[in-house]
């Protein structure tokens, strides 16, 4: 019997993937770090300025505003999306025709591009012409017709809800796949031991889905940090930068204000935030398992 695996085949399959990963992932990160240490403006020469761009970040009110908005979007997304997607996956876990139809409906939103998502939800949430406020005014509830987007407060939370809607189907798919991997004997044993449905979910299913939870958390956390298209379609970061996220602020700084090196510093700061939180989360959850 011949072994399928050998060193030549391994490197033959992995080298192209590794090449593209380095070119499109690690190389751009290195370029961003490099230019963030200069005063480059997108054209012409430049000088090295060390940590000057990062020092500027510390005193930049718009940076901290965009960071706050990004964290609000991220927390809103995680708090709603993870439990809701698990609940729906648990309800739809049986292989039934009706369940498959609902799974398809939920997954459809994941296939819609970010710009289209923003345009659709602008039509729904626009304070002056949106469906929600027009409906509230038509039924005499004008006091509830709020500035869902473009105001001073609600925009980040609405973007978090939109992000939840967009990613719901994909998370349901991941939870469903995890649930299917649980041995039926384990669930049957819990029933024999007298566990009710809630106890079965809390004490058997969720602990066995810890790896699935970790994967969903990291993917949705990093995804929420990178929200751009929907924000750009909804508000463009306005009014007066009140709804800026880190990505939209980086985009406007780099391509609008032509502060190329400062925009790279913003992108590096976001990258460091994403890596730090993800690694801390993985460390503490791994430590919890080993303990």
């Amino acid at each position: 019997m011949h072994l399928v695996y050998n060193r030549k085949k391994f490197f033959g399959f992995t080298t192209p993937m590794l090449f593209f990963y380095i070119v499109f992932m690690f190389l751009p990160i290195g370029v961003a770090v490099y230019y963030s240490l200069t005063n480059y403006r997108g054209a012409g020469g430049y000088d090295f300025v060390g940590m000057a761009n990062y020092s500027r970040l510390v005193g930049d009110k718009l940076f901290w505003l965009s960071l706050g908005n990004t964290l609000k979007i991220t927390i809103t997304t995680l708090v709603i999306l993870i439990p809701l997607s698990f609940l729906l996956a648990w309800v739809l876990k049986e292989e039934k025709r009706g369940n498959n139809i609902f799974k398809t409906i939920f997954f459809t939103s994941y296939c819609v591009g970010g710009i289209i998502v923003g345009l659709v939800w602008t039509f729904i949430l626009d304070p002056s012409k949106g469906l929600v406020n027009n409906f509230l005014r038509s039924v005499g509830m004008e006091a509830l017709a709020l500035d869902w987007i473009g105001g001073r407060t609600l925009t980040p939370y609405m973007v978090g809800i939109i992000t939840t809607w967009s990613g719901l189907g994909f998370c349901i798919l991941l939870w469903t796949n995890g649930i299917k991997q649980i041995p039926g004997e384990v669930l049957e044993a819990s029933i024999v031991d007298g566990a009710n449905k809630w106890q079965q979910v809390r004490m058997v299913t969720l602990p066995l889905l810890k790896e699935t939870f970790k994967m969903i958390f990291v993917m949705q956390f990093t995804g929420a940090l990178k929200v751009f298209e929907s924000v750009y379609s909804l508000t463009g970061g306005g009014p007066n930068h009140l709804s800026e996220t880190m990505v939209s602020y980086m985009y406007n700084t780099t391509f609008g204000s032509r502060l190329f090196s400062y925009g790279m510093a913003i992108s590096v700061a976001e990258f460091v935030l994403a890596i730090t939180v993800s690694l801390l989360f993985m460390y503490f959850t791994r430590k919890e398992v080993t303990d």
Side-chain angles (χ1 to χ4, degrees):
M1 182 176 180
H2 297 286
L3 291 175
V4 175
Y5 167 82
N6 61 53
R7 186 170 296 180
K8 289 183 179 180
K9 290 183 179 179
F10 173 78
F11 284 109
F13 280 113
T14 58
T15 300
M17 186 191 318
L18 182 62
F19 171 77
F20 284 108
Y21 197 78
I22 291 173
V23 170
F24 293 107
M25 291 294 294
F26 286 104
L27 186 59
I29 293 171
V31 170
V33 173
Y34 175 82
Y35 279 114
S36 70
L37 301 175
T38 70
N39 60 359
Y40 185 53
R41 298 183 65 90
Y46 58 88
D47 299 312
F48 284 95
V49 295
M51 302 297 290
N53 287 318
Y54 296 99
S55 299
R56 179 178 175 180
L57 282 179
V58 176
D60 187 348
K61 293 182 179 180
L62 288 180
F63 170 75
W64 293 107
L65 176 64
S66 66
L67 174 60
N69 287 337
T70 301
L71 293 178
K72 290 175 184 177
I73 293 170
T74 303
I75 293 171
T76 302
T77 301
L78 294 175
V79 168
I80 299 176
L81 178 57
I82 292 180
L84 179 60
S85 61
F86 173 76
L87 176 62
L88 291 172
W90 180 259
V91 172
L92 301 173
K93 66 181 183 298
E94 301 293 338
E95 290 293 338
K96 298 179 181 179
R97 183 177 180 181
N99 287 353
N100 290 332
I101 293 174
F102 279 110
K103 290 178 186 177
T104 302
I105 293 173
F106 284 123
F107 192 77
T108 301
S109 62
Y110 180 74
C111 301
V112 181
I115 294 293
I116 304 301
V117 170
L119 292 175
V120 170
W121 282 93
T122 300
F123 182 69
I124 297 172
L125 297 176
D126 185 87
S128 58
K129 302 177 182 178
L131 290 177
V132 172
N133 281 356
N134 282 341
F135 171 77
L136 292 173
R137 294 186 185 104
S138 66
V139 296
M141 303 175 68
E142 190 167 352
L144 298 178
L146 306 176
D147 291 334
W148 305 106
I149 56 174
R152 302 183 63 88
T153 306
L154 295 178
T155 301
Y157 304 104
M158 291 298 105
V159 173
I161 292 173
I162 293 169
T163 305
T164 298
W165 173 82
S166 182
L168 186 61
F170 183 66
C171 290
I172 291 174
L173 186 65
L174 294 177
W175 282 120
T176 302
N177 184 62
I179 292 171
K180 288 181 178 179
Q181 304 304 316
I182 299 176
E185 296 82 1
V186 176
L187 298 177
E188 292 174 3
S190 66
I191 296 175
V192 172
D193 290 338
N196 57 35
K197 287 290 185 181
W198 166 242
Q199 291 172 330
Q200 188 182 70
V201 171
R202 183 170 61 89
M203 304 178 69
V204 179
T205 303
L206 286 177
L208 292 175
L209 292 175
K210 182 167 290 185
E211 293 302 316
T212 302
F213 166 72
K214 288 163 63 174
M215 177 174 60
I216 291 175
F217 179 91
V218 172
M219 291 179 64
Q220 296 305 317
F221 173 78
T222 55
L225 287 181
K226 297 184 294 183
V227 169
F228 172 70
E229 295 97 334
S230 56
V231 173
Y232 198 76
S233 297
L234 287 167
T235 64
N240 297 322
H241 301 283
L242 287 175
S243 60
E244 292 276 22
T245 62
M246 292 183 73
V247 178
S248 68
Y249 184 47
M250 182 269 292
Y251 177 85
N252 289 328
T253 299
T254 304
F255 300 104
S257 302
R258 304 295 296 175
L259 298 174
F260 191 89
S261 59
Y262 189 55
M264 293 301 99
I266 297 171
S267 67
V268 171
E270 182 177 16
F271 172 74
V272 170
L273 173 63
I275 288 293
T276 301
V277 175
S278 298
L279 291 178
L280 287 174
F281 174 77
M282 298 298 290
Y283 171 77
F284 284 113
T285 52
R286 182 180 180 183
K287 183 178 179 181
E288 185 178 304
V289 173
T290 57
D291 291 344

